[in-house]
């Protein structure tokens, strides 16, 4: 049996390394996470969580991607962009919940999600993504080594501690 852990709070970000190590994969709950951290950091956090899960070889699922389609036949431009970016960030799955549970257009919602994701996959540069992940792993290890040697990360405010992508 596989364990997939949901990351949906600021506290989960503080504990992300342990959560990732202890689980077989993660679910990034964008809706709840977006309520718990400042909005300008949600996209960066999503990217960082995807990268770390990819580096660990564990699947990452992104939720709350087409909320407007609960009531509308088309997603917003922002949602369409979010879906494409989730694919480009290395998400392994996109999760539809209320959109298909109680949405007015569940079949069209699935078709729309698949269409957007397939278009993003056509331009996804797997080689570049892999090379970037490898460099990110090296950079993160160097930062951890520097911190272990007593060198901190200057300029981080307390609010940044949970959302700094290199600290995850």
């Amino acid at each position: 049996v596989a364990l997939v852990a949901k990351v949906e709070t600021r506290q989960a970000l503080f504990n992300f390394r342990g959560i990732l190590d202890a689980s077989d994969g993660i679910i990034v709950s964008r809706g709840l996470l977006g309520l718990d951290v400042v909005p300008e950091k949600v996209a960066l956090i999503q990217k960082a969580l995807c990268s770390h899960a990819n580096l660990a070889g564990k699947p990452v699922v992104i939720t709350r991607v087409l909320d407007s389609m609960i009531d509308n036949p088309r997603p917003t431009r922002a949602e369409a962009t979010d879906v494409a970016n989730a694919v480009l960030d290395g998400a392994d799955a996109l999760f539809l919940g209320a959109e298909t549970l109680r949405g007015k257009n569940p079949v069209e919602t699935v078709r729309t999600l698949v269409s957007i994701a397939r278009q993003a996959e056509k331009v996804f540069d797997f080689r570049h993504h892999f090379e970037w992940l490898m460099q990110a792993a090296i950079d993160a290890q160097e930062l951890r080594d520097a911190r272990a040697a007593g060198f901190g990360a200057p300029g981080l405010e307390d609010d940044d501690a949970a959302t700094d992508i290199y600290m995850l």
Side-chain angles (χ1 to χ4, degrees):
V1 173
L3 170 78
V4 179
K6 196 171 189 182
V7 177
E8 59 187 358
T9 64
R10 192 167 184 261
Q11 188 60 43
L13 296 176
F14 279 116
N15 297 314
F16 181 71
R17 278 192 193 162
I19 291 169
L20 185 61
D21 289 344
S23 65
D24 297 307
I26 61 163
I27 297 173
V28 179
S29 180
R30 291 168 10 115
L32 294 172
L33 195 56
L35 297 173
D36 213 21
V37 299
V38 292
E40 61 269 21
K41 292 197 177 189
V42 174
L44 297 175
I45 291 167
Q46 176 179 306
K47 289 177 182 306
L49 297 177
C50 284
S51 292
H52 286 279
N54 289 167
L55 283 169
K58 297 184 179 185
V60 57
V61 179
I62 307 294
T63 69
R64 305 289 299 266
V65 292
L66 295 176
D67 282 356
S68 72
M69 289 192 76
I70 294 169
D71 295 313
N72 301 302
R74 292 179 49 88
T76 66
R77 289 186 305 271
E79 287 172 333
T81 301
D82 284 349
V83 168
N85 278 324
V87 171
L88 298 174
D89 291 342
D92 295 286
L94 303 170
F95 185 87
L96 294 171
E99 302 97 327
T100 54
L101 174 68
R102 65 176 186 271
K104 294 178 181 174
N105 306 290
V107 175
E108 189 57 32
T109 300
V110 172
R111 286 184 181 138
T112 298
L113 180 65
V114 169
S115 177
I116 296 167
R118 284 188 178 153
Q119 287 299 312
E121 286 176 333
K122 285 181 182 179
V123 299
F124 188 81
D125 185 344
F126 291 95
R127 182 168 185 242
H128 178 264
H129 184 69
F130 176 77
E131 289 171 357
W132 183 88
L133 286 173
M134 292 300 101
Q135 187 59 52
I138 292 167
D139 294 346
Q141 185 60 50
E142 288 174 355
L143 183 59
R144 284 191 293 275
D145 291 346
R147 286 189 176 132
F151 301 104
L156 282 183
E157 299 173 14
D158 183 48
D159 184 54
D160 291 332
T163 57
D164 177 36
I165 62 171
Y166 293 107
M167 293 178 70
L168 295 176

